[in-house]
Amino acid sequence: MDIVVGVHGAGLTWAAFMPTHGGLVEVFGGNRPKSNRHYHNIASLADLHYREISLGAMDPIQWNRDT
């Protein structure tokens, strides 16, 4: 079985050319609207299994200039 795992972005469009019954895992960082289903829809049309992973809201990096 072929599986593509990637961060939400244009590169996941390549999933449309995967063999049927493959898998697509989409990784999200931060908050996103529930209407953002682009790659879920592509996976559905291409007969792929789809899962998403959300890392939730992330705090910006705080740099300590003293170290």
Side-chain angles (χ1 to χ4, degrees), residues 5-31:
V5 178
V7 177
H8 174 82
L12 292 181
T13 303
W14 287 103
F17 302 102
M18 291 178 59
T20 58
H21 306 295
L24 174 61
V25 179
E26 183 177 11
V27 180
F28 290 97
N31 296 329

Side-chain angles (χ1 to χ4, degrees), residues 5 16-17 24-25 36 42 52-53 56 58:
V5 178
F17 302 102
L24 174 61
V25 179
N36 192 340
I42 289 174
E52 65 180 52
I53 299 171
M58 298 169 59

Side-chain angles (χ1 to χ4, degrees), residues 15-67:
F17 302 102
M18 291 178 59
T20 58
H21 306 295
L24 174 61
V25 179
E26 183 177 11
V27 180
F28 290 97
N31 296 329
R32 67 174 179 91
K34 292 293 183 188
S35 63
N36 192 340
R37 304 289 287 174
H38 306 98
Y39 302 108
H40 172 271
N41 295 340
I42 289 174
S44 178
L45 291 170
D47 198 17
L48 302 173
H49 301 277
Y50 174 87
R51 295 292 183 267
E52 65 180 52
I53 299 171
S54 182
L55 301 177
M58 298 169 59
D59 294 329
I61 295 173
Q62 301 294 322
W63 295 101
N64 183 351
R65 296 176 189 246
D66 297 330
T67 58

